[in-house]
Amino acid sequence: KQWLQFIARRQLAFNERMLTCEHCGDCEIRNDKPTLWYCKICKIGACQVCKEKLPAQDELSDALSRRRGILPMPSSSDEVLDRALRPHLNECARLRDAKEAIDRAIERGSTMPCPECKLAGRKDNECTHMTCPHCHTSWCYVCGLSVANCNKAPPEEGQPTDNMNLHNTDWKQNTKRCPMYLREIPDVDPAWHNWSPERADDEFCLAHFHEYRTIKLMQE
């Protein structure tokens, strides 16, 4: 289901967005930006900014009908509903654009996309050589380039040119190449040591790599 949602998001038009129910996982494609949204399947609603669950849809419908004069005058429960919804319609709506920009940076910063099909994921604690499980493209996790497009050392005579190890050759001297392991970066970048009193391990370096990537995306 997550793969289908990923494919659907890639097909969205510029002015379209996909809303996903946190409860049942159903989706709806909209061309507006509703602050409050109720799932058509499970009828559960949530603020699309802070994700807080909303009052039941029938309670909200009754309150709106009272305000329009369709039902008797508002009750005390309507005032409670109004107080519950007002922060979302005011503060959440005001902060929406800023939060969406931060959320996009965090989402993109916490993963790396395949350069061919754009399927995003997060590596394990092994080397930086990646093979996309969907399109089988070989690529580098550090620079995000495919083996065909990344900078590589010349292969030995008779050897293939699409060897990702060639992208790691002399990476400390060539800024267009990348290390085979993230834990090698502190050897040339002392700033990485400042994040930990001891030599950074694979797990630490992976976390730091994505923190740095997220910060750079937020600055764009």
Side-chain angles (χ1 to χ4, degrees), residues 180-193:
M180 181 177 288
Y181 297 95
L182 292 176
R183 63 174 179 267
E184 297 175 323
I185 296 179
D187 293 340
V188 297
D189 188 353
W192 281 52
H193 286 298

Side-chain angles (χ1 to χ4, degrees), residues 7-210:
I7 294 297
R9 285 191 176 93
R10 290 189 62 186
Q11 306 302 318
L12 293 177
F14 176 76
N15 64 335
E16 292 180 329
R17 63 183 54 236
M18 180 182 291
L19 306 181
T20 304
C21 177
E22 300 284 341
H23 180 71
C24 71
D26 192 65
C27 302
E28 180 183 358
I29 296 177
R30 302 276 295 262
N31 56 13
D32 58 350
K33 298 171 64 174
T35 301
L36 310 180
W37 177 71
Y38 283 86
C39 174
K40 294 181 178 179
I41 302 300
C42 67
K43 309 303 181 184
I44 293 178
C47 172
Q48 295 304 292
V49 181
C50 70
K51 304 304 181 183
E52 181 178 319
K53 186 177 179 180
L54 298 175
Q57 194 170 20
D58 55 352
E59 295 179 24
L60 181 61
S61 298
D62 287 349
L64 292 174
S65 296
R66 289 189 181 95
R67 291 189 177 185
R68 294 168 181 163
I70 300 174
L71 295 178
M73 290 299 291
S75 64
S76 58
S77 62
D78 293 342
E79 297 175 2
V80 174
L81 269 177
D82 186 63
R83 288 197 299 270
L85 298 179
R86 190 182 301 118
H88 302 297
L89 296 173
N90 293 339
E91 290 303 304
C92 288
R94 181 176 64 85
L95 298 172
R96 179 175 196 136
D97 290 343
K99 184 178 183 298
E100 285 184 349
I102 293 174
D103 288 345
R104 283 194 300 270
I106 293 175
E107 181 180 2
R108 292 176 58 199
S110 62
T111 60
M112 283 291 288
C114 167
E116 185 65 27
C117 71
K118 307 306 179 185
L119 176 65
R122 187 166 177 133
K123 72 181 290 295
D124 54 21
N125 293 333
E126 300 301 326
C127 72
T128 57
H129 298 180
M130 308 297 294
T131 300
C132 178
H134 178 244
C135 68
H136 308 296
T137 296
S138 295
W139 56 286
C140 173
Y141 196 81
V142 180
C143 64
L145 296 177
S146 68
V147 66
N149 295 324
C150 66
N151 184 279
K152 299 182 291 295
E156 295 183 2
E157 186 176 353
Q159 297 300 311
T161 59
D162 60 348
N163 185 345
M164 185 60 80
N165 289 320
L166 299 175
H167 180 54
N168 307 131
T169 303
D170 297 328
W171 72 272
K172 293 181 181 180
Q173 290 75 40
N174 191 326
T175 58
K176 294 182 179 180
R177 297 176 189 166
C178 301
M180 181 177 288
Y181 297 95
L182 292 176
R183 63 174 179 267
E184 297 175 323
I185 296 179
D187 293 340
V188 297
D189 188 353
W192 281 52
H193 286 298
N194 296 334
W195 290 67
S196 176
E198 301 177 353
R199 181 177 174 82
D201 58 17
D202 289 323
E203 185 176 356
F204 166 81
C205 286
L206 179 62
H208 182 40
F209 172 82
H210 284 288

